[in-house]
Amino acid sequence: MCNKRRSRLNYWYALILCALVLVPAAHAFLPALLAESAIGAIVGRIIINRAARVAANDAVYLTVVNGTEKAISKAAVSQAAKVTSKQSIFKNVSGALTWAGVGHTLGSLSTEQLLPEGVFSATSGTKRDDGRWDVTVGGQSFISDFEPTPDSPFLVSINTDSDGQVIISTGANDSYPLYIKDTTANNVINGYDVQAVANTYFQQLKSSDRLTCSAIDRTRCSYSGLSVTSSEPQTDSSGKVAQYIVKGSYIVTVAGQNGAESKSTTLTTQIVPRVNANYKGQQPITNNGGITGNEGNSTNPDFSKMLSALDNIPLKIDDLTKSINDLFMAGAAQPDYDGVPVTSSNPVTADEVRAAYPEIDSLKQSEWLKPAQVSETSPLNVSIPSPTAVGTSENPAKVDLGPDPGVGTPDLEDIPTGEDILNPITSMFSDYDHSVQLRDVQCPVVDVELFGKTYVIDSHCQLSESNKSVIKLIFLAFWGFLAFRIVMEA
């Protein structure tokens, strides 16, 4: 008996212990599991706005909304296999697509459009005997648990200021051996590492829109990070190193218009960090790109830390608009599509996105990294609100009718009678008597004299009088039929 009680007590102790340990752990994961991107809400609002314009009734409205949501989910999930890594900017650890992954698999969004300054990607590597991959970025090696590809890039960060590698000042700083003077920005980039200084200068050109782009409308232009191909010293007449010639390339992407595809071009550039002749320090000049992290790090080093800068970068509405439009176009291309109408002549526009989500200017680039699915096989997390709740994200649209003006009920005139209506017409013929006059008539009788006698023929009068009701009925039917025929032939 005691053993049974002890076993029951042990059971309850174990249950309480599990609750104490697992419940806090579960709550710790809730923010990650429940983090929903505003992009899903924007997509949902665009769906209902377009559905409301074409639906004749509630049944059609629901069919169109559900058909659109189903089609875009199918289009996105069908492309998810392109992303092989379950820990990248395109997929989370559970294998679910992020919204960046949705845009990327549809060809709308590139890695370079997402990465903050100082973060660079590698899209290739060499396979190791242990099944992992050797990746080289800026002359330094890393080990990746997955094969780096354009769909699953390997990320590394370049140290631009945290450990004194590169600083930006108003003039040359003699505490650093290298510098680049940016006369347009009116500042000087100082540092120890040749490629780090060159990359920082490149990012400064990029952020101030001073790179080459063929588009007249430069808002359509986006740029990748600098890919260094060579970095060589140059000496002066005395044989001392005076500067470094850093050569590299970058990709310029011009967004298409009216549903047209974007076009990318690779351009080359040359950046020249100079040696500060007044530098008296002991730390030598390096030329490895200023890559942070220990050499041989497994997987992406400081992955979340590298991308935390996206929390401070405003969401680019043009990139979002293109991704949403491409998503809708891919959905409309599905067999038996019965969703909202989307064509190249009726694309999703930036104005439509802004109207659907007026608070869009407050969103950050980190929205792209939030999950677009619950799991890798589930549909997209599209939030479909009721049509009356589209005014803002929290409050439904309201109509202000203003104060009561106190207007009373109107006074109605007396309704005219038929006589009042016809009187103006009849008064025009007042000289004419329109009344039916009563006449004294009788049945005609015929007198015939024959052979000296007078014969009176009046039997037809008697016959008519005795059968007048039948005769009246016959002629009533005749004239009624004649009137009906005249009306029908009119």
Side-chain angles (χ1 to χ4, degrees):
M1 185 71 177
C2 291
N3 289 335
K4 289 184 179 179
R5 289 180 179 177
R6 188 177 293 112
S7 63
R8 289 178 180 175
L9 290 174
N10 290 339
Y11 168 79
W12 286 108
Y13 287 152
L15 186 61
I16 293 172
L17 181 61
C18 287
L20 293 175
V21 173
L22 295 180
V23 170
H27 281 284
F29 283 107
L30 279 177
L33 293 174
L34 299 180
E36 292 186 3
S37 174
I39 297 177
I42 295 172
V43 172
R45 294 184 185 190
I46 293 175
I47 290 175
I48 68 166
N49 287 344
R50 291 201 168 208
R53 291 197 292 265
V54 299
N57 52 55
D58 290 345
V60 176
Y61 171 83
L62 292 175
T63 300
V64 171
V65 170
N66 294 333
T68 307
E69 185 178 6
K70 181 180 178 181
I72 63 175
S73 291
K74 185 177 181 180
V77 174
S78 66
Q79 301 294 322
K82 291 182 178 180
V83 182
T84 57
S85 171
K86 290 188 177 182
Q87 188 175 0
S88 70
I89 56 178
F90 301 136
K91 272 187 178 180
N92 59 24
V93 293
S94 66
L97 283 172
T98 63
W99 281 104
V102 173
H104 179 75
T105 55
L106 295 172
S108 312
L109 201 65
S110 66
T111 305
E112 289 74 16
Q113 289 173 268
L114 290 171
L115 298 183
E117 292 185 8
V119 178
F120 296 85
S121 63
T123 57
S124 63
T126 303
K127 193 170 185 179
R128 298 162 52 98
D129 293 337
D130 61 3
R132 295 184 295 174
W133 298 80
D134 286 325
V135 182
T136 301
V137 180
Q140 190 164 349
S141 298
F142 295 86
I143 300 174
S144 172
D145 290 334
F146 60 90
E147 179 184 5
T149 66
D151 295 311
S152 301
F154 180 85
L155 305 182
V156 291
S157 61
I158 290 184
N159 185 356
T160 57
D161 55 15
S162 61
D163 296 322
Q165 289 285 342
V166 174
I167 66 166
I168 299 176
S169 59
T170 57
N173 190 321
D174 294 342
S175 299
Y176 295 86
L178 296 169
Y179 73 93
I180 294 178
K181 186 175 182 179
D182 189 342
T183 55
T184 303
N186 195 26
N187 60 30
V188 178
I189 301 167
N190 308 270
Y192 294 103
D193 187 88
V194 175
Q195 292 185 43
V197 171
N199 267 308
T200 303
Y201 177 67
F202 177 84
Q203 294 297 337
Q204 195 159 283
L205 295 177
K206 177 181 175 181
S207 61
S208 58
D209 195 23
R210 286 185 280 158
L211 295 174
T212 302
C213 180
S214 60
I216 298 176
D217 180 7
R218 295 185 65 88
T219 59
R220 296 167 53 204
C221 304
S222 60
Y223 311 92
S224 69
L226 177 66
S227 176
V228 176
T229 55
S230 65
S231 180
E232 303 294 336
Q234 278 192 338
T235 59
D236 57 16
S237 58
S238 65
K240 292 183 179 180
V241 176
Q243 62 187 21
Y244 289 80
I245 306 298
V246 179
K247 296 181 179 181
S249 62
Y250 61 96
I251 299 174
V252 180
T253 301
V254 179
Q257 293 180 309
N258 299 325
E261 294 184 357
S262 300
K263 295 184 179 180
S264 298
T265 307
T266 300
L267 300 179
T268 58
T269 187
Q270 179 174 292
I271 301 174
V272 183
R274 302 184 183 277
V275 175
N276 187 348
N278 297 323
Y279 174 65
K280 304 301 181 183
Q282 301 300 315
Q283 184 170 338
I285 294 174
T286 58
N287 194 2
N288 63 6
I291 304 297
T292 61
N294 297 324
E295 190 161 341
N297 273 356
S298 178
T299 318
N300 292 355
D302 297 327
F303 177 79
S304 59
K305 182 179 179 181
M306 284 189 292
L307 299 178
S308 62
L310 295 177
D311 289 331
N312 302 316
I313 302 175
L315 182 66
K316 298 175 183 177
I317 189 171
D318 290 336
D319 292 345
L320 177 63
T321 300
K322 176 170 173 45
S323 294
I324 293 177
N325 182 64
D326 289 349
L327 177 62
F328 275 60
M329 292 290 285
Q334 296 295 312
D336 301 325
Y337 177 72
D338 59 352
V340 298
V342 182
T343 62
S344 58
S345 60
N346 181 31
V348 177
T349 64
D351 290 339
E352 185 176 2
V353 172
R354 190 177 294 278
Y357 202 90
E359 309 92 327
I360 194 167
D361 290 331
S362 65
L363 300 181
K364 307 299 180 183
Q365 283 286 87
S366 54
E367 294 294 329
W368 290 110
L369 304 184
K370 295 179 181 179
Q373 298 174 282
V374 175
S375 66
E376 57 185 328
T377 58
S378 65
L380 295 182
N381 292 335
V382 177
S383 177
I384 303 292
S386 61
T388 57
V390 182
T392 66
S393 61
E394 297 179 357
N395 301 315
K398 296 180 179 180
V399 179
D400 184 7
L401 299 177
D404 183 3
V407 178
T409 56
D411 294 329
L412 299 179
E413 298 180 355
D414 294 336
I415 300 175
T417 63
E419 183 179 355
D420 294 334
I421 296 173
L422 295 176
N423 186 56
I425 298 175
T426 56
S427 61
M428 295 173 60
F429 306 97
S430 57
D431 295 336
Y432 295 91
D433 185 5
H434 301 284
S435 61
V436 178
Q437 301 296 324
L438 298 177
R439 297 180 182 275
D440 184 15
V441 295
Q442 59 183 2
C443 180
V445 177
V446 178
D447 295 332
V448 178
E449 293 182 1
L450 185 62
F451 305 115
K453 292 184 179 181
T454 301
Y455 298 92
V456 178
I457 302 175
D458 60 356
S459 59
H460 65 282
C461 293
Q462 299 175 5
L463 180 64
S464 299
E465 183 66 22
S466 61
N467 295 283
K468 66 178 182 180
S469 59
V470 177
I471 298 172
K472 180 178 179 181
L473 182 62
I474 293 172
F475 278 92
L476 180 63
F478 171 76
W479 290 114
F481 172 75
L482 186 62
F484 175 77
R485 182 174 178 179
I486 293 173
V487 172
M488 296 305 293
E489 288 181 349

